[in-house]
Amino acid sequence: TGLPPIANIVRKHITDVGLALVKKQSVNAEGDLMPYVQELLDIHDKYTELVGSGPEKGCFQGHNIFHKAMKEAFEVFVNKDIGKSATAELLSNFCDNLLKKSGERLSDEALEDKLEKVVRLFGYLSDKDIFAEFYKKQLAKRLLLARSSSDDAERSMIAKLKLRCGAQFTSKLEGMVTDMNLSQDIQSAFAEHVKDKELELDTDLTVQVLTTGFWPTYKSDELNLPKEMLQCVETFKAFY
């Protein structure tokens, strides 16, 4: 058939467009790189529509040879670093901006749609483990500092990554979210315990019980706690 030569032209065109974007952004590698990620998503939307998702959809009706050409093109430029930043890091930062309270405000539907698009772009990364490392640290910060805009959105994103990369890739991320939910239950039970036993605590106490293997490793500081806090800690230990 005459399709392979046309597919080669499509692949070269998409590659050229992508590399031109990388080149343009590399001049401003120190600036805000989130608009660059959005441009990658927009290019992906454009060519996904062009190639099509099935018969009678798009110019190429979803033909496999054109999907392959598009995949190969995106793998070339999506894996180019911008200055010192790998695309894996930029995608994780983009997700962080979508999922934290202080980030971009979107409706549930728009957020779901954008996360889905990010995961499609993530599929082209050759260094998915680098993305996982950045994502894990940023997720930990969102959870521990109560900066996450939505528990459902966090779970949805993890589910999308799991679908693409398997359970092993997301097991620690799932464990972190589960830890936070269990900590809330433990906190409620502790409050009941204090009330039932009529214990007097000199200060409010909020405890998060974390599973070592799931979370990033943090340097532990030696602290000299005041006696009021020590009393709280001992009371919780006795309860736990």
Side-chain angles (χ1 to χ4, degrees), residues 36-94:
Y36 166 70
V37 178
Q38 185 57 55
E39 284 190 76
L40 286 178
L41 295 178
D42 293 342
I43 288 177
H44 194 260
D45 279 353
K46 178 181 172 181
Y47 291 111
T48 300
E49 200 175 322
L50 179 82
V51 169
S53 56
E56 298 175 26
K57 297 226 177 119
C59 296
F60 301 115
Q61 301 183 353
H63 198 291
N64 280 342
I65 196 167
F66 293 103
H67 275 294
K68 185 169 179 280
M70 180 175 153
K71 177 176 178 285
E72 288 169 356
F74 270 85
E75 282 171 350
V76 171
F77 60 85
V78 164
N79 286 296
K80 298 282 184 198
D81 294 352
I82 302 293
K84 293 176 182 171
S85 303
T87 308
E89 179 185 353
L90 297 180
L91 283 182
S92 182
N93 291 346
F94 193 80

Side-chain angles (χ1 to χ4, degrees), residues 69-209:
M70 180 175 153
K71 177 176 178 285
E72 288 169 356
F74 270 85
E75 282 171 350
V76 171
F77 60 85
V78 164
N79 286 296
K80 298 282 184 198
D81 294 352
I82 302 293
K84 293 176 182 171
S85 303
T87 308
E89 179 185 353
L90 297 180
L91 283 182
S92 182
N93 291 346
F94 193 80
C95 290
D96 187 50
N97 194 44
L98 290 174
L99 292 166
K100 66 186 178 186
K101 282 177 184 170
S102 60
E104 192 177 343
R105 306 304 316 131
L106 294 171
S107 68
D108 290 351
E109 206 173 300
L111 177 60
E112 187 70 16
D113 183 55
K114 197 162 270 201
L115 291 175
E116 184 62 50
K117 288 174 180 178
V118 170
V119 172
R120 281 182 208 145
L121 213 54
F122 159 82
Y124 300 119
L125 291 177
S126 54
D127 46 11
K128 292 181 175 65
D129 288 344
I130 294 178
F131 173 90
E133 276 308 303
F134 279 107
Y135 195 88
K136 183 172 149 186
K137 285 176 185 167
Q138 287 167 327
L139 174 63
K141 198 177 272 190
R142 289 196 299 276
L143 294 176
L144 293 175
L145 303 178
R147 287 183 184 165
S148 198
S149 63
S150 157
D151 196 38
D152 288 343
E154 295 288 6
R155 288 185 178 280
S156 173
M157 181 61 183
I158 293 169
K160 291 179 198 305
L161 292 170
K162 185 176 184 177
L163 200 61
R164 195 161 282 267
C165 294
Q168 195 175 353
F169 187 81
T170 56
S171 61
K172 289 182 179 178
L173 305 178
E174 288 176 304
M176 287 158 70
V177 174
T178 301
D179 271 357
M180 295 308 289
N181 290 336
L182 288 175
S183 288
Q184 286 174 357
D185 294 343
I186 291 167
Q187 186 68 36
S188 300
F190 179 63
E192 284 294 314
H193 168 76
V194 169
K195 193 175 164 188
D196 290 347
K197 301 281 186 196
E198 296 180 355
L199 300 170
E200 287 290 326
L201 296 180
D202 292 329
T203 182
D204 290 337
L205 179 72
T206 303
V207 180
Q208 289 161 338
V209 182

